[in-house]
RNA sequence: GCCGGGGUGGCGGAACUGGCAGACGCAAGGGACUUAAAAUCCCUCGGGGCGAAAGCCCUGUACGGGUUCGAUUCCCGUCCCCGGCACCA
C-alpha cells in the first residue's frame, strides 16, 4: 500500500522555510562585525508598479541571492537589502485621473510586490527595507540637496567645499556678493531652454526625450525657457571619467558613460569681427585646419547675432531665428533634412591668415556645446562641407590625405576628408603631420594671445526640477525680496502637503502651487516667503539609497560613519542595463560630492556591476500586455514552486544575455528537483530513502562529487549560473542511478544546491538529520586529488583528422602516448606507410601525427 | 551614419588559454512498466552518403578568404540581427 507522504510538495516546504527565515531573523546583517569579512550585495530597487513583478525582476534578484547565500556559507558577513524606488509617474497619472493620493496607490503596490518578492525566498534583510517616499527617507534626500546647495566646486583642489569657504572680492556690493555665491552653488537656479512637454505638463531632462518625443508616452516636446533647478554635474565630468578605471564594470557600460560625458580636447580660438569691437570665440578639435576656415557659423540663439547683423540682413536673420526657436528638437535633429542657414552680413577675420570670412547662422550649430559658434572648415568637416556645398561657400583643402586618389578629390573640393594627413596651404606650417600641427599651432595661438588649449564635454548640467506633485519637495524658500534661502537641517523633512487636485496647471506652474497653506511662510523676522513648488525628479531618491540601507532607522544622520566605513563600497550591484548611464552616473556624482564633504569614505559607490539581460516572451518578443505574452511569476510559483522558478531563470542562459521564456524549460528544472527529491526521500513515508546509507562512496561518485563542488563554486564566482546548474544535474543523474546512495555525497550536493534552490535544500538538509539551518553551513571543500581522472581518453589525429581514440593512464608520459598512438591500426592505415614528421601531444586532449 | 554586442542542431544553450563541436535541458521518435493513461526508466536524435549489421566515409559553428599540425575560438573582407548614440565642431 502506498501513501504519498513522501512527495515533493514545493507549496508546503516553501511556505515553511520562508516563515522560518522570517521568524528566526537569520538573514539580519550584523553591523561592524570585524570577525568576518563583509560582503554587500545590492539589487537595483524596483518601482512598485501596479502590474507587480514580472519575470525580469527575479532574474537579477535570484542571481544576487545566489551570491549572497554562497558568500554566507563562505564565511562572509553579508548585507543584502531591499527597498522601493517609490516616487514615479504612473502613481501620479493615476492620481490625476482618479484623485487618489499617490501615496495610497503606491503603498498598495508596495505591499503586493513585497508579497511577491518574499514568495521567491530571497534572503533579504527585511529589517532594512526602505521606500523613497517615506518622509523619514526623503528627509535625507533633501539633506543631500542642501549639501549640494551649500557647496561650491573648488577648481584648484578639484573638490566640492562648503560655500562659506568661497573667496569673495570685498569690493562687491551685498547684492553682487549674493549673486556671486548663488552662481557658485552646486545646486543653482537658472533660466534655461527646457524640454517642455505640453501633454505631460512638465519639463523633461534631455535623457527623457527620445527623438523629440517624451520617453514616457511618446508625446511631442518643445523648447521653452523656464526657471529651473540645476545640479552642476559638469564640474565632476573629469572625475566621473577618470574614476571609471577604478570600477569593475562591463566595458560596454563604461564606454556608454565615457561617450555620455563626451570629453574632447582642442583649442579655443578668438576671431575678430570686422567693423566692430566684438570678438567671438570658437571651440575646435582641429586647430590644425584653421587655414581652411572659410566662414563661421553661429547658433541661432547666439547673443552676438543682434549686434553684428547688418541692416539689410536683419529681416532674414530674424525670420530664421524665429523659426529655429519654434522648431522642436525633433525637427532640428532630423538628419534626413537639408542644412539650412542665413548670412548675417557680417564678416570675421581668420586670425592665422587675416582673411575676411562671412558669418552665417544655422541650427546645425548648437548653443549648448562649446561656445555656440564654430569656425567652418568645409574641406575637413562633413557638416561644414554639406553646408558650404549647398550655399556655395569656398572650400580650401589644408590636409592632404595619404591616399593619392582621395588627395586628388580633396584638392578639387569634391571630397571632404576628416582623417589625419599632411598640412598644405597653411603657410609655414606646411608639411606637418596632423598631430604635430595641432600641438604647434596651439602653442603659437597662446603666444599670439589668440587662443588656448581647451577641453569640452558633451555632459550638461543636470536639470533637477519637475513640475510635479509626486516627488521630494525642495527645502527652499523664495522671499518677497527675491532672495532664495534654504531650510536648515532641523526643519527637515519638508513633507508633501495633502492636496485635492493633482493636475498640473498647464502653464508650467506645478500642482503644489495650489497648496496655499503650505506654500506661504512667514520667517522669524516677519519676512514673507513662498516655498519652492517644483519637486525633485525620480532619480533623486535612487542616487543614494545604497547608503540608507546601512542605517535605515537613524533619525539623526542619513547613516552613521562607522557603518559606512564597515560596509562600503557595494561589492556587487546587479540590475538592468537600461540604467547604464543615468542612474549610475547620477549616483556616482552624488557619491563624489559626499566624498568631498567627508560623508563617505570611498570614491566610487559600486565596485562590481553586472547587468542581467532582458527576458522575452515565449514568442521571442518583448513582453508586453498588448502582445499578451507576459509571464506572471505568481502563476509559475503556484504551478512549480519558487525553487523551480529560481532555477529556471538561472538555467535559461548566461545572466547578461537576452533570452526567451519557455514554460517547458521550467518543467525541465522542476523534473530535476523531483529527481533529487526521489533519490533522497522515500515516497511512502517521507523518511530518508533506504538507499541513502552511511557508506563510503565509490571512486567514480566521489570524483564526480568533487568535480561538481569545484565547478559550482567556480561558476558562482564567475556568474556562470547556467553551467553550475547543469553540473548539478549531471551529479543528480548519476546519484539517482546508484542503488546505494552515500549520505555524505547527498549532503554535500544539498549544500551546493542551497544558494540556487534554498527551500528544497533546507528541507532535505533537515530530513537528512540536521537540526540547524544550512544558511551558515560551511561551503563544501573539494579535494584536488580526487578530481583527477585515473585514465584519460585521447583523440588521435593524422594530419588534423581524428582517426582513433586511445585510453592512457593519467600519468603516462609523452613517449608512451606517442607509442600507443602510433600503434593504432587505424592510424597506421591512415598514415599510408609515410613517416611521421612531427607528433604533437596535448596532454589530456589529443595526439596529432603529421606525416 | 558612428559606436558596442551577437550570429553554433527543431529550440534554450555548452566548449579551459587555438586542441575530440553540440555538455545540460526542452521538443521529437522508439522501447520498457501499465488493462490503459500519466508519471518514471532505457535508447536514438546536426546534415549527407555507404553497409544486412557492427561499423565506415564525407560535410558542418552566418558567408568568403588567410594564419596554423590543428580555428566555433586569432586576422582580413562581406551579409544579417540586437542595443546605444545621433549635426557635440
Amino acid at each position: 500500500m502506498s501513501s504519498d507522504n513522501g512527495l515533493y510538495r514545493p507549496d508546503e516546504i516553501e511556505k515553511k522555510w520562508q516563515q522560518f527565515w522570517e521568524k528566526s531573523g537569520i538573514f539580519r546583517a550584523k553591523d561592524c562585525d570585524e570577525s568576518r569579512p563583509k560582503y554587500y550585495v545590492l539589487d537595483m530597487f524596483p518601482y512598485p508598479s501596479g502590474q507587480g513583478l514580472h519575470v525580469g525582476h527575479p532574474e537579477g534578484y535570484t542571481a544576487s541571492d545566489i551570491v549572497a547565500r554562497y558568500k554566507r556559507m563562505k564565511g562572509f558577513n553579508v548585507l543584502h537589502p531591499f527597498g522601493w524606488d517609490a516616487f514615479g509617474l504612473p502613481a501620479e497619472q493615476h492620481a490625476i485621473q482618479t484623485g487618489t493620493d499617490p501615496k495610497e496607490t503606491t503603498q498598495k503596490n508596495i505591499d503586493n510586490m513585497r508579497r511577491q518578492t518574499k514568495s521567491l525566498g530571497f534572503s533579504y534583510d527585511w529589517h532594512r527595507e526602505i521606500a523613497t517616499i517615506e518622509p523619514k527617507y526623503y528627509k535625507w534626500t533633501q539633506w543631500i540637496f542642501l549639501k549640494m546647495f551649500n557647496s561650491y566646486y573648488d577648481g584648484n583642489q578639484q573638490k566640492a567645499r562648503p560655500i562659506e569657504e568661497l573667496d569673495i572680492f570685498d569690493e562687491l556690493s551685498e547684492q553682487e556678493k549674493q549673486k556671486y555665491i548663488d552662481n557658485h552653488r552646486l545646486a543653482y537656479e537658472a533660466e534655461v531652454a527646457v524640454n517642455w512637454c505640453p501633454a505631460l505638463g512638465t519639463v523633461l531632462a534631455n535623457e527623457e526625450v527620445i527623438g523629440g518625443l517624451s520617453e514616457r508616452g511618446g508625446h511631442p516636446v518643445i523648447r521653452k525657457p523656464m526657471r529651473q533647478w540645476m545640479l552642476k554635474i559638469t564640474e565632476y565630468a573629469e572625475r566621473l571619467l577618470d574614476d571609471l578605471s577604478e570600477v569593475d564594470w562591463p566595458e560596454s557600460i563604461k564606454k556608454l558613460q565615457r561617450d555620455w560625458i563626451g570629453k574632447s580636447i582642442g583649442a579655443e580660438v578668438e576671431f575678430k569681427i570686422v567693423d566692430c569691437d566684438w570678438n567671438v570665440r570658437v571651440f575646435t578639435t582641429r586647430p590644425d585646419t584653421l587655414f581652411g576656415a572659410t566662414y563661421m557659423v553661429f547658433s541661432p540663439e547666439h547673443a552676438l547675432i543682434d549686434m553684428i547683423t547688418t541692416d539689410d540682413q536683419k529681416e532674414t536673420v530674424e525670420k530664421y531665428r524665429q523659426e529655429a526657436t519654434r522648431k522642436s528638437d525633433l525637427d532640428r535633429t532630423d538628419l534626413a533634412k537639408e542644412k539650412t542657414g542665413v548670412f548675417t552680413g557680417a564678416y570675421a577675420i581668420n586670425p592665422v591668415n587675416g582673411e575676411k570670412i562671412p558669418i552665417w547662422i544655422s541650427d546645425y550649430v548648437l548653443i549648448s556645446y562649446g561656445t555656440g559658434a564654430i569656425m567652418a572648415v568645409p574641406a575637413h568637416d562633413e557638416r561644414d562641407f554639406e553646408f558650404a556645398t549647398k550655399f556655395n561657400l569656398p572650400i580650401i583643402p589644408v590636409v592632404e590625405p595619404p591616399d593619392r586618389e582621395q588627395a586628388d578629390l580633396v584638392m578639387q573640393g569634391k571630397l571632404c576628408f576628416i582623417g589625419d594627413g599632411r598640412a598644405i596651404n597653411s603657410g609655414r606650417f606646411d608639411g606637418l603631420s596632423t598631430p604635430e600641427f595641432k600641438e604647434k599651432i596651439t602653442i603659437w595661438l597662446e603666444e599670439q594671445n589668440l587662443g588656448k588649449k581647451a577641453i569640452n564635454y558633451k555632459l550638461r548640467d543636470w536639470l533637477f526640477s519637475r513640475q510635479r506633485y509626486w516627488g521630494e519637495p525642495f527645502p527652499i524658500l523664495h522671499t518677497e525680496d527675491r532672495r532664495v534661502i534654504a531650510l536648515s537641517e532641523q526643519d527637515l523633512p519638508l513633507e508633501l502637503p495633502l492636496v485635492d487636485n493633482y493636475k498640473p496647471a498647464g502653464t508650467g506652474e506645478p500642482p503644489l502651487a495650489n497648496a496655499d497653506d503650505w506654500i506661504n511662510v512667514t520667517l522669524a523676522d516677519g519676512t514673507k516667503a513662498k516655498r519652492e513648488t517644483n519637486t525633485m525628479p525620480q532619480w533623486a531618491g535612487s542616487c543614494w539609497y545604497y547608503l540608507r540601507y546601512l542605517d535605515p532607522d537613524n533619525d539623526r544622520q542619513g547613516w552613521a560613519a562607522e557603518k559606512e566605513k564597515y560596509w562600503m563600497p557595494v561589492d556587487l550591484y546587479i540590475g538592468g542595463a537600461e540604467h547604464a548611464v543615468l542612474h549610475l552616473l547620477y549616483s556616482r556624482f552624488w557619491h563624489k560630492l559626499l566624498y568631498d564633504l567627508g560623508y563617505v569614505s570611498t570614491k566610487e559607490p559600486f565596485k562590481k556591476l553586472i547587468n542581467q539581460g532582458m527576458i522575452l516572451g515565449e514568442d521571442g518578443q518583448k513582453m508586453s500586455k498588448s502582445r499578451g505574452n507576459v509571464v506572471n511569476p505568481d502563476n509559475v510559483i503556484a504551478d512549480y514552486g519558487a525553487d523551480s522558478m529560481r532555477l529556471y531563470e538561472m538555467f535559461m542562459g548566461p545572466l547578461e544575455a537576452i533570452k526567451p521564456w519557455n514554460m517547458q524549460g521550467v518543467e525541465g528544472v522542476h523534473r530535476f528537483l523531483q529527481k533529487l527529491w526521489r533519490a533522497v526521500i522515500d515516497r511512502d513515508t517521507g523518511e530518508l530513502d533506504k538507499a541513502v546509507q552511511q557508506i563510503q562512496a565509490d571512486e567514480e561518485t566521489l570524483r564526480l562529487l568533487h568535480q561538481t563542488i569545484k565547478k559550482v563554486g567556480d561558476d558562482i564566482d564567475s556568474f556562470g549560473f547556467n553551467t553550475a546548474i547543469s553540473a548539478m544535474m549531471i551529479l543528480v543523474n548519476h546519484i539517482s542511478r546508484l542503488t546505494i546512495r552515500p549520505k555524505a555525497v547527498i549532503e554535500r550536493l544539498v549544500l551546493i544546491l542551497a544558494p540556487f534552490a534554498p527551500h528544497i535544500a533546507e528541507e532535505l538538509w533537515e530530513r537528512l538529520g540536521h537540526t540547524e539551518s544550512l544558511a551558515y553551513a560551511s561551503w563544501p571543500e573539494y579535494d584536488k586529488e580526487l578530481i583527477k581522472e585515473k585514465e584519460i581518453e585521447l583523440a588521435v589525429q593524422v594530419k588534423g583528422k581524428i582517426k582513433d581514440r586511445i585510453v592512457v593512464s593519467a600519468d603516462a608520459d609523452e613517449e608512451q602516448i606517442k607509442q600507443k598512438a602510433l600503434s593504432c591500426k587505424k592510424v597506421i592505415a591512415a598514415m599510408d606507410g609515410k613517416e611521421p614528421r612531427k607528433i604533437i601531444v596535448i596532454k589530456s586532449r589529443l595526439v596529432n601525427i603529421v606525416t
Side-chain angles (χ1 to χ4, degrees):
Chain A
M1 221 185 51
S2 106
S3 68
D4 288 341
N5 290 339
L7 286 189
Y8 171 44
R9 292 237 156 78
D11 49 337
E12 285 170 21
I13 64 172
E14 288 177 2
K15 200 177 298 153
K16 167 182 164 186
W17 287 101
Q18 284 166 19
Q19 280 169 3
F20 167 76
W21 294 329
E22 177 126 19
K23 279 210 195 92
S24 63
I26 194 169
F27 297 126
R28 289 189 77 155
K30 197 173 158 206
D31 292 318
C32 306
D33 177 356
E34 299 295 347
S35 70
R36 290 177 292 168
K38 68 93 187 180
Y39 198 83
Y40 187 177
V41 204
L42 182 66
D43 289 295
M44 287 186 186
F45 65 166
Y47 173 72
S49 96
Q51 323 288 321
L53 285 187
H54 56 79
V55 292
H57 286 114
E59 191 190 8
Y61 304 160
T62 303
S64 65
D65 198 56
I66 289 168
V67 175
R69 288 176 178 271
Y70 170 70
K71 289 285 178 184
R72 280 190 204 100
M73 294 173 81
K74 286 283 223 177
F76 286 83
N77 184 22
V78 171
L79 176 59
H80 190 35
F82 200 73
W84 312 99
D85 189 12
F87 281 119
L89 280 175
E92 179 149 21
Q93 292 295 16
H94 185 73
I96 292 170
Q97 280 154 24
T98 65
T100 324
D101 188 343
K103 193 171 167 185
E104 238 173 74
T105 319
T106 306
Q107 204 52 59
K108 217 176 70 204
N109 292 345
I110 288 178
D111 291 343
N112 182 45
M113 276 182 64
R114 186 193 298 108
R115 173 194 63 76
Q116 291 186 299
T117 309
K118 285 192 172 177
S119 75
L120 278 149
F122 299 128
S123 62
Y124 293 120
D125 179 352
W126 284 102
H127 290 91
R128 295 174 186 257
E129 179 182 356
I130 56 168
T132 54
I133 52 168
E134 290 166 3
K136 67 176 187 181
Y137 179 89
Y138 69 65
K139 169 178 180 175
W140 302 104
T141 310
Q142 292 170 332
W143 178 82
I144 298 172
F145 175 82
L146 288 182
K147 293 293 159 204
M148 196 86 57
F149 180 79
N150 288 319
S151 302
Y152 77 104
Y153 201 80
D154 183 329
N156 294 326
Q157 291 187 22
Q158 274 295 302
K159 61 179 271 197
R161 292 172 61 190
I163 197 86
E164 301 85 59
E165 297 172 14
L166 180 64
D167 282 326
I168 306 175
F169 306 106
D170 286 333
E171 55 270 28
L172 297 180
S173 71
E174 270 314 304
Q175 224 183 346
E176 285 169 330
K177 274 186 191 163
Q178 199 52 51
K179 201 175 166 196
Y180 185 80
I181 291 171
D182 286 345
N183 281 340
H184 281 79
R185 297 179 189 278
L186 288 179
Y188 64 100
E189 283 185 291
E191 191 79 22
V192 283
V194 296
N195 305 299
W196 170 253
C197 177
L200 292 174
T202 185
V203 295
L204 299 168
N206 285 334
E207 306 84 87
E208 293 165 324
V209 182
I210 314 287
L213 301 172
S214 65
E215 183 184 27
R216 190 176 283 278
H219 305 293
V221 173
I222 60 163
R223 302 178 69 75
K224 177 176 172 178
M226 278 176 77
R227 182 190 63 86
Q228 298 292 328
W229 282 95
M230 308 287 291
L231 300 184
K232 268 190 199 159
I233 189 171
T234 48
E235 296 281 22
Y236 284 87
E238 193 64 40
R239 284 166 63 191
L240 288 168
L241 201 57
D242 282 351
D243 293 346
L244 280 174
S245 63
E246 292 188 11
V247 294
D248 180 7
W249 289 13
E251 265 321 303
S252 57
I253 301 271
K254 290 195 193 183
K255 195 170 180 313
L256 282 178
Q257 294 221 345
R258 285 194 193 104
D259 290 350
W260 189 266
I261 295 166
K263 179 180 184 174
S264 39
I265 301 169
E268 269 186 13
V269 186
E270 199 142 311
F271 283 64
K272 239 191 103 40
I273 295 170
V274 174
D275 293 332
C276 79
D277 299 333
W278 303 97
N279 284 354
V280 65
R281 262 169 195 277
V282 300
F283 172 72
T284 175
T285 54
R286 293 297 300 270
D288 62 295
T289 60
L290 255 167
F291 286 87
T294 52
Y295 64 102
M296 295 187 86
V297 187
F298 286 20
S299 155
E301 291 92 352
H302 199 282
L304 270 185
I305 294 173
D306 280 335
M307 345 276 195
I308 61 166
T309 304
T310 56
D311 292 339
D312 53 326
Q313 289 298 96
K314 271 237 147 62
E315 209 179 312
T316 326
V317 167
E318 216 26 63
K319 196 165 152 251
Y320 185 82
R321 296 182 78 185
Q322 291 286 336
E323 277 167 15
T325 40
R326 264 211 308 277
K327 275 190 197 171
S328 70
D329 272 7
L330 179 64
D331 301 326
R332 280 180 75 148
T333 58
D334 184 0
L335 292 179
K337 74 149 200 223
E338 288 222 344
K339 295 247 178 310
T340 58
V342 294
F343 177 46
T344 61
Y347 290 86
I349 302 291
N350 185 333
V352 292
N353 56 16
E355 293 287 334
K356 201 169 125 182
I357 59 175
I359 300 173
W360 286 63
I361 64 172
S362 170
D363 62 8
Y364 85 87
V365 175
L366 307 175
I367 188 66
S368 49
Y369 184 79
T371 63
I374 61 155
M375 65 174 206
V377 185
H380 306 291
D381 181 289
E382 271 159 8
R383 296 150 300 180
D384 298 345
F385 184 79
E386 200 188 317
F387 192 83
T389 310
K390 173 157 181 193
F391 293 103
N392 258 321
L393 291 155
I395 300 171
I396 301 175
V398 291
V399 182
E400 186 182 39
D403 180 90
R404 191 64 244 156
E405 249 171 78
Q406 278 188 16
D408 287 344
L409 289 170
V410 171
M411 299 314 276
Q412 293 161 37
K414 285 183 185 156
L415 180 74
C416 166
F417 174 72
I418 59 170
D420 284 6
R422 202 150 289 285
I424 49 172
N425 295 328
S426 298
R428 65 192 176 296
F429 295 100
D430 276 356
L432 289 177
S433 72
T434 302
E436 274 179 298
F437 194 170
K438 278 186 186 171
E439 224 171 279
K440 292 233 160 90
I441 188 116
T442 308
I443 294 167
W444 183 84
L445 286 167
E446 271 172 47
E447 284 166 0
Q448 303 297 310
N449 227 358
L450 292 168
K452 58 169 200 274
K453 188 177 168 180
I455 291 169
N456 257 295
Y457 302 92
K458 279 202 265 183
L459 184 71
R460 308 287 147 78
D461 277 348
W462 176 10
L463 190 129
F464 194 65
S465 37
R466 298 289 182 278
Q467 290 65 51
R468 287 275 162 187
Y469 167 80
W470 192 225
E472 298 88 346
F474 283 84
I476 291 287
L477 292 170
H478 300 272
T479 64
E480 277 180 323
D481 50 345
R482 306 184 131 254
R483 281 177 302 134
V484 176
I485 51 179
L487 298 189
S488 69
E489 288 177 22
Q490 298 88 279
D491 295 330
L492 301 181
L494 170 62
E495 295 197 30
L496 272 174
L498 294 172
V499 296
D500 26 58
N501 184 3
Y502 300 95
K503 287 194 175 77
T507 54
E509 273 290 279
L512 280 178
N514 303 324
D516 293 338
D517 296 347
W518 182 80
I519 299 186
N520 294 303
V521 177
T522 308
L523 302 181
D525 64 0
T527 316
K528 291 221 161 67
K530 283 187 187 295
R531 293 196 193 280
E532 171 65 54
T533 54
N534 283 304
T535 53
M536 298 186 199
Q538 192 182 358
W539 307 107
S542 60
C543 269
W544 71 284
Y545 73 112
Y546 57 93
L547 292 168
R548 189 59 179 171
Y549 283 137
L550 311 179
D551 203 1
D553 298 315
N554 194 334
D555 54 6
R556 296 179 328 281
Q557 296 162 285
W559 55 92
E562 75 270 14
K563 292 181 185 175
E564 187 278 331
K565 278 203 184 69
Y566 179 77
W567 286 116
M568 285 299 286
V570 173
D571 294 281
L572 176 64
Y573 194 21
I574 298 185
E578 66 273 20
H579 297 297
V581 177
L582 304 182
H583 160 62
L584 288 169
L585 195 69
Y586 294 156
S587 308
R588 294 180 61 222
F589 162 44
W590 279 36
H591 194 85
K592 285 182 188 305
L593 170 92
L594 294 168
Y595 175 78
D596 287 350
L597 300 178
Y599 294 105
V600 297
S601 57
T602 64
K603 279 166 129 179
E604 286 287 333
F606 314 119
K607 194 155 88 186
K608 184 169 181 66
L609 175 76
I610 303 264
N611 294 121
Q612 87 266 16
M614 206 188 349
I615 294 181
L616 305 174
E618 299 208 67
D619 53 1
Q621 302 283 315
K622 206 169 163 169
M623 282 193 196
S624 74
K625 263 202 295 189
S626 56
R627 283 203 190 84
N629 60 354
V630 176
V631 179
N632 183 341
D634 286 345
N635 298 338
V636 181
I637 293 170
D639 291 349
Y640 301 99
D643 282 335
S644 294
M645 170 84 183
R646 293 170 57 118
L647 220 43
Y648 175 63
E649 294 238 359
M650 294 299 99
F651 188 62
M652 292 171 80
L655 184 60
E656 299 93 327
I658 300 171
K659 40 212 179 271
W661 187 268
N662 176 4
M663 216 40 106
Q664 276 163 331
V666 186
E667 187 97 36
V669 292
H670 185 68
R671 281 206 276 262
F672 157 66
L673 293 179
Q674 291 266 25
K675 191 185 265 194
L676 168 65
W677 182 270
R678 279 198 311 268
V680 184
I681 302 299
D682 182 89
R683 183 197 157 109
D684 294 335
T685 63
E687 304 286 312
L688 278 196
D689 195 283
K690 284 179 289 294
V692 179
Q693 290 176 24
Q694 210 116 28
I695 54 150
Q696 177 67 43
D698 65 274
E699 199 184 292
E700 192 193 350
T701 304
L702 212 53
R703 187 188 311 127
L704 191 56
L705 170 71
H706 283 259
Q707 285 172 341
T708 309
I709 293 171
K710 176 176 185 340
K711 172 99 179 126
V712 171
D714 290 353
D715 281 356
I716 295 176
D717 286 331
S718 59
F719 306 94
F721 305 117
N722 54 335
T723 47
I725 293 166
S726 94
M728 291 187 282
M729 285 172 166
I730 293 169
L731 182 57
V732 168
N733 286 343
H734 175 81
I735 289 174
S736 67
R737 275 191 279 259
L738 297 176
T739 40
I740 309 278
R741 309 187 185 116
K743 193 171 170 215
V745 172
I746 297 205
E747 284 177 321
R748 279 176 281 179
L749 165 61
V750 165
L751 288 175
I752 59 174
L753 177 66
F756 298 82
H759 310 85
I760 190 174
E762 289 272 24
E763 183 66 24
L764 290 176
W765 187 244
E766 187 179 72
R767 293 194 191 201
L768 281 159
H770 298 273
T771 48
E772 275 197 23
S773 160
L774 50 59
Y776 291 89
S778 297
W779 186 259
E781 300 276 337
Y782 62 87
D783 186 328
K784 279 197 189 111
E785 288 307 310
L786 287 176
I787 284 178
K788 288 185 185 155
E789 306 275 351
K790 283 265 165 61
E791 290 191 320
I792 303 166
E793 194 192 63
L794 299 179
V796 183
Q797 300 180 328
V798 176
K799 291 200 287 190
K801 302 227 168 190
I802 293 165
K803 293 295 169 189
D804 205 351
R805 288 162 219 280
I806 54 172
V807 176
V808 298
S809 89
D811 50 12
D813 64 26
E814 236 181 87
E815 200 45 45
Q816 288 170 307
I817 293 171
K818 277 185 194 171
Q819 286 318 316
K820 184 139 192 187
L822 282 170
S823 63
C824 295
K825 273 191 192 141
K826 286 178 195 164
V827 172
I828 294 167
M831 282 168 63
D832 203 18
K834 293 191 194 103
E835 280 302 299
R837 258 198 305 139
K838 195 165 146 193
I839 301 176
I840 296 146
V841 178
I842 307 293
K843 266 236 158 180
S844 82
R845 294 284 171 195
L846 54 66
V847 182
N848 190 6
I849 300 163
V850 188
T851 57

